[in-house]
Amino acid sequence: MFTFTIRRLVLAVPTLLFISLVIFLLLELAPGDPMAQVPLTVPPEVKQKMREALGLGEPLPIRYWKWIVQFFWIEPQVLIDHYFGTSFSAGDLRVISWQTRSPVMDIVIQRIPQTLWVVGTAYVVATLIAIPIGIYSAYRQYSWFDQAGTFISMIGFSVPPFFSGVLVIVIFSVQLGWFPSIYDTTLVVDSWSSFVQQLKQMIMPVMVLALQITAQTSRFMRASMLDNLNQDYVRTARAKGLGEYTVVMVHVLRNSMIPVVTVIALGVPSIFGGAIITEQVFKVNGIGQLLIGALQANDLPMVQTLTFIFAALIVIFNLIADVLYGILDPRIRYD
Amino acid sequence: MTDREPLIPDEGLAPASGALPGAAGPLKEFTAPPRSQWLNVWDQFKHHKGAMAGGIIFLAIVVLVFLGPLVWTIDPTHIDIRARNQGLSLAHPFGTDQLGRDTLARMMAGGRTSVAVGIAAMLLALFLGSLVGVAAGYFRRLDDLLMRLTDLFLALPLLPLLLVMMLLFREPLSATFGPEQGIFILIVCAIGITSWMPTARIVRGDVLALKEREFILAARSIGTTNWMMIARHILPNVLSPIMVSATLGIANAIITESALSFLGLGFPPDFPTWGRLLFDATDYLQQYPERVFWPGMAISLTVLSVNYLGDGLRDALDPRIRGR
């Protein structure tokens, strides 16, 4: 198991490097110029100096190398400094945003909690709803419950979040006036009333995200349960006189959870991607909105960093899924 | 070539190649006229109510958006400022927008773009996916390389990358092909390049299984070239997973295009697509909430019908389920 994990970890490093290279090269083609906003009265040689101060004007491999160093060597040091009060990173150049002229990672760190709150809650809620639905749909296959579940998950697949989001705003915010349509990120939860307000503003984005996740997870759960319910060991368990509850909830469920757990792990990064749209609809200022804003403002270092963070999330959760599969299913561990 | 046990019947892995199963009884088997495989598929498909409904609705939408403008001849870009923000009426069945443009005409124009993008992007993704899948499955030397490539592509953050691609290539392509044509090419290519991976994986798996079968060995032994082998024996037999991916590909492409338009990085503002119409309508959410409804409903209905179509197709093309 240990060597299996190590091997996957080692494989992840070239993948990440390749992805960072792809992102870097793609952005190399960008037509944007950070000096476009600078007044025309500034002489060209000063402009050239400013360009060099931003790290432009050097050959491509050197800039790539510098970015890698900044991202993987200097930024972690800043993080350590922040937590332990040391000064490893003093004087080192960090990745600077063209928009705000402040370090990119500082802004990202400010934005991540909002995304994590909304996406994380949605994911937990959706998983908690999806698993019982999947179990019951499989146990009573082709019952009205199963048919309804299939239909609703089809809708969950098919209705894009930019429509379902707008739809719930129309219903709950415009017509009924129950929830605010805009997510207020300056809200500090320190009393019961502010907690209620926080809850109210989270309900709609969580609902929209959760609908999609529930649709996928419950389908997987159902298929996996169906695969296992017809296995010989289930017949054996029934034949030796185990109660129906034990058979389904212990024997079948445990075995069916193996692929579902990996699917849940694999779904996390795609949810971060999907949250880009949901954040845009509800005006949550998380990292998704940060990416859109950076794209519109041509802030390439920010775009580069955020895209790479999304890629890293995918690779990390792929790794987690692989290792989980190895832990849960001994047949997979080929060391 | 293979050292498999010849007595073990080859079951399970059969991608729709078998004829009618012999369950009909020996007598019937000889008297019944020979039936083609596609007739069997159609018979099975007809029994899937959701798939039939999905197919009919999808066809209706396609016919409506492509042939509708022949009947409903109002120009979608015609501005009639005195008739702005109207509700449902006989002159404008879906109402008009803030510039007095007819929503029905705009919906049909938008649908034409959305459906065209969906189909074109699906075809591109399918082509790339089948190419990679067949090459990886058939030529063992390419397998490792191509599958690593597929894994790498699967690890890319697709939506952020699509947004980046839209940002970067919008200007040069618009300059070369004109604003609408350029963005169309860009969106189709971007979606196609980022969505071929699932098809490639499925096709590769099926090709690997097919390659071990006797008819391939027989074809090889009479001297069939690789090229002919792929064209005559491999491709027709992996058609069913390709067709299923095709339906899912259309749904995926329509949603992606709408998402890009919704985020403001799709087609130019005056060029309607369903995603763009939805995006524009969200500005008037407080006053005219019904305006969001039409494009959103059109996207959802199209995707839902295509998904059901794919579901039915998957069942119909799977010979193990057929006849139930």
Side-chain angles (χ1 to χ4, degrees), chain B residues 240-254:
Chain B
S240 44
I242 293 180
M243 279 171 69
V244 174
S245 329
T247 56
L248 299 179
I250 293 183
N252 175 37
I254 289 179

Side-chain angles (χ1 to χ4, degrees), chain A residues 80-94:
Chain A
I80 292 170
D81 289 351
H82 178 73
Y83 278 112
F84 301 105
T86 51
S87 53
F88 288 119
S89 62
D92 286 337
L93 272 179
R94 302 178 63 186

Side-chain angles (χ1 to χ4, degrees), chain A residues 25 87 194 198 281 297 301:
Chain A
L25 288 179
S87 53
S194 62
Q198 171 73 10
V281 172

Side-chain angles (χ1 to χ4, degrees), chain B residues 70-125:
Chain B
L70 298 178
V71 182
W72 191 254
T73 47
I74 296 181
D75 181 9
T77 53
H78 174 70
I79 294 174
D80 181 6
I81 205 76
R82 264 173 298 180
R84 69 177 186 272
N85 295 333
Q86 279 185 356
L88 316 185
S89 68
L90 213 57
H92 304 289
F94 285 6
T96 57
D97 68 358
Q98 71 280 6
L99 294 175
R101 292 174 292 196
D102 182 61
T103 306
L104 178 60
R106 284 173 72 72
M107 284 288 296
M108 288 193 293
R112 214 155 45 238
T113 318
S114 290
V115 172
V117 166
I119 291 175
M122 172 274 284
L123 286 177
L124 181 62

Side-chain angles (χ1 to χ4, degrees), chain A residues 216-249:
Chain A
Q216 288 175 19
T217 315
S218 69
R219 283 301 90 184
F220 268 111
M221 189 71 221
R222 174 178 178 272
S224 177
M225 284 290 282
L226 281 178
D227 273 353
N228 275 292
L229 275 170
N230 295 324
Q231 298 267 322
D232 289 342
Y233 74 83
V234 180
R235 201 185 312 139
T236 311
R238 286 202 177 112
K240 73 179 183 185
L242 286 182
E244 196 61 18
Y245 181 84
T246 324
V247 170
V248 176
M249 296 307 281

Side-chain angles (χ1 to χ4, degrees), chain A residues 7-74:
Chain A
R7 196 162 52 207
R8 303 306 310 202
L9 260 174
V10 170
L11 263 178
V13 174
T15 313
L16 275 177
L17 278 179
F18 176 81
I19 291 171
S20 71
L21 185 66
V22 167
I23 295 169
F24 181 82
L25 288 179
L26 200 57
L27 287 173
E28 258 329 283
L29 301 165
D33 181 4
M35 295 292 116
Q37 308 285 331
V38 175
L40 288 171
T41 48
V42 175
E45 56 272 17
V46 179
K47 259 191 188 175
Q48 190 55 38
K49 284 249 172 68
M50 289 166 79
R51 212 181 288 274
E52 273 160 25
L54 282 174
L56 293 163
E58 286 188 76
L60 203 138
I62 292 184
R63 265 181 301 148
Y64 177 60
W65 172 247
K66 278 193 165 172
W67 180 66
I68 293 276
V69 168
Q70 280 175 335
F71 196 85
F72 289 103
W73 187 240
I74 297 177

Side-chain angles (χ1 to χ4, degrees), chain B:
Chain B
M1 192 181 138
T2 64
D3 51 355
R4 289 189 330 150
E5 198 75 33
L7 291 173
I8 295 174
D10 193 10
E11 273 177 355
L13 294 167
S17 61
L20 201 65
L27 201 76
K28 251 183 161 176
E29 200 177 331
F30 290 115
T31 50
R35 291 165 60 88
S36 85
Q37 179 201 344
W38 296 108
L39 215 59
N40 286 328
V41 171
W42 172 242
D43 275 353
Q44 177 68 22
F45 186 77
K46 271 191 302 192
H47 289 296
H48 197 302
K49 283 198 203 84
M52 278 306 275
I56 290 168
I57 290 174
F58 182 63
L59 265 185
I61 289 173
V62 171
V63 167
L64 210 66
V65 298
F66 280 98
L67 301 182
L70 298 178
V71 182
W72 191 254
T73 47
I74 296 181
D75 181 9
T77 53
H78 174 70
I79 294 174
D80 181 6
I81 205 76
R82 264 173 298 180
R84 69 177 186 272
N85 295 333
Q86 279 185 356
L88 316 185
S89 68
L90 213 57
H92 304 289
F94 285 6
T96 57
D97 68 358
Q98 71 280 6
L99 294 175
R101 292 174 292 196
D102 182 61
T103 306
L104 178 60
R106 284 173 72 72
M107 284 288 296
M108 288 193 293
R112 214 155 45 238
T113 318
S114 290
V115 172
V117 166
I119 291 175
M122 172 274 284
L123 286 177
L124 181 62
L126 222 55
F127 173 73
L128 287 175
S130 313
L131 191 72
V132 172
V134 169
Y138 192 78
F139 301 107
R140 189 162 296 169
R141 246 177 300 148
L142 294 176
D143 189 20
D144 215 34
L145 181 76
L146 286 176
M147 280 302 111
R148 285 289 83 75
L149 186 75
T150 312
D151 287 346
L152 278 176
F153 261 84
L154 279 170
L156 290 174
L158 295 183
L159 190 59
L161 269 191
L162 273 172
L163 294 172
V164 171
M165 277 154 90
M166 294 306 296
L167 179 79
L168 299 187
F169 302 116
R170 168 190 295 271
E171 300 294 321
L173 277 172
S174 305
T176 327
F177 297 101
E180 277 111 45
Q181 218 63 41
I183 301 287
F184 184 84
I185 294 172
L186 174 57
I187 289 189
V188 166
C189 289
I191 297 176
I193 289 170
T194 51
S195 58
W196 54 268
M197 294 82 76
T199 317
R201 280 196 156 176
I202 297 169
V203 169
R204 170 185 172 263
D206 272 15
V207 172
L208 277 181
L210 269 177
K211 237 173 64 178
E212 302 295 316
R213 309 227 332 200
E214 280 77 9
F215 73 93
I216 296 289
L217 186 62
R220 160 118 333 138
S221 64
I222 59 169
T224 315
T225 57
N226 280 337
W227 185 245
M228 282 309 283
M229 190 81 100
I230 289 172
R232 296 274 312 260
H233 300 290
I234 302 277
L235 271 184
N237 279 306
V238 292
L239 207 57
S240 44
I242 293 180
M243 279 171 69
V244 174
S245 329
T247 56
L248 299 179
I250 293 183
N252 175 37
I254 289 179
I255 286 201
T256 313
E257 183 273 319
S258 308
L260 289 177
S261 294
F262 183 79
L263 293 172
L265 286 158
F267 282 93
D270 53 344
F271 192 69
T273 74
W274 285 338
R276 186 82 220 179
L277 290 175
L278 184 60
F279 178 59
D280 292 343
T282 51
D283 292 340
Y284 298 88
L285 202 56
Q286 302 278 345
Q287 301 95 330
Y288 309 103
E290 74 279 355
R291 213 178 273 170
V292 194
F293 188 72
W294 300 116
M297 206 59 207
I299 298 170
S300 308
L301 200 62
T302 313
V303 173
L304 188 66
S305 64
V306 171
N307 275 341
Y308 263 109
L309 189 65
D311 214 33
L313 214 54
R314 181 177 7 221
D315 285 359
L317 289 168
D318 189 344
R320 281 169 294 176
I321 304 180
R322 202 179 298 158
R324 255 196 251 158

Side-chain angles (χ1 to χ4, degrees), chain A residues 1 7 29-30 49 71 74 78 91 99-100 104 108 114 118 122 186 228 231 249 257 284 293 295 306 313 329:
Chain A
M1 190 61 221
R7 196 162 52 207
L29 301 165
K49 284 249 172 68
F71 196 85
I74 297 177
V78 173
Q99 232 176 327
T100 61
V104 166
V108 173
Q114 287 87 296
V118 175
T186 55
N228 275 292
Q231 298 267 322
M249 296 307 281
M257 280 307 283
V284 182
L295 276 170
L306 282 174
L313 278 175
D329 192 346

